Amino acid sequence: MVNTKQKGFTLVEIAIVLVIIGLLLGGILKGQELINSARVRNLADQNSGTQAAYYGFIDRYRAVPGDMTAANACNAIGASNLPTTANCTGTPAIGGNGNGSLDAEDYPEAAALWAQLAGAGFIQGSFTGIAANDAAYVASTVAPVNAFNGRVMLTRSDSYAVETGTPSARLAFVFGNQIPVSILRELDVKIDDSQPATGVLRHTDVTGGTTVFNTTAACVTAGTPDIWNIDGAEQSCNAMFIY
């Protein structure tokens, strides 16, 4: 009988392999953490940039972007800087009713806002400035998108969560849907109080309704207080920042 010597990995070799696997897994997890942090920072920066542009426009023109009438916008900003010169006085016009504030969840004014901000040089991008309803707002280049390709909006709205009572219409930046709940929770921790129904960052309360404001009910677990439902791992949540 011939004795054969079986070959295998030594303990040292196995240990080296395990260390390498651990380093790879650690690198993947760290990379994902960095990606998530970058997305959270992108959402926060988009909100603060919009806020600065909005108030900068008011300081320069003494009018609210989006609410400024089409004729006044063409005169103040310049017709050549707006999407279509015919819409200075044409139909539909790129502008609002000039009543001094954005009307609550008004799509024509919300759409005109981005075109007027871009025309005045406060934001980058090319926007049509025209949307009669929710479907038109989300289906075309009317507004910027968030890091997850959901349309954002700046409007007056009462479509946000509250712990008690009834919300009132407030000027708010809608982050847009399609945002994972873990990202919104991290954003809430970063810029507010980490709770979806208190503070300046609120979970939207529209489920199965308009697309811009739409969210998934399971993004939040009801309680005292409400909390972001991280365990549910919902991938299409939404929130707004109340100015």
Side-chain angles (χ1 to χ4, degrees), residues 86-176:
N87 286 322
C88 292
T89 57
T91 303
I94 299 175
N97 55 22
N99 66 356
S101 69
L102 290 170
D103 292 341
E105 299 182 13
D106 183 273
Y107 286 95
E109 288 196 347
L113 176 139
W114 302 112
Q116 291 180 359
L117 287 179
F122 284 100
I123 62 173
Q124 298 294 316
S126 178
F127 307 103
T128 63
I130 299 173
N133 50 44
D134 181 80
Y137 189 92
V138 301
S140 59
T141 54
V142 170
V145 296
N146 62 32
F148 301 88
N149 209 38
R151 295 285 177 192
V152 304
M153 179 184 279
L154 180 61
T155 186
R156 302 190 76 82
S157 176
D158 61 359
S159 298
Y160 56 88
V162 293
E163 288 285 356
T164 59
T166 303
S168 58
R170 300 277 300 276
L171 180 64
F173 177 81
V174 183
F175 285 95

Side-chain angles (χ1 to χ4, degrees), residues 65-85:
D67 172 68
M68 179 187 269
T69 66
N72 287 344
C74 286
N75 289 331
I77 301 171
S80 62
N81 295 320
L82 295 170
T84 306
T85 56

Side-chain angles (χ1 to χ4, degrees), residues 205-226:
D205 65 357
V206 178
T207 56
T210 54
T211 308
V212 175
F213 300 91
N214 197 44
T215 188
T216 303
C219 295
V220 171
T221 299
T224 307
D226 293 352

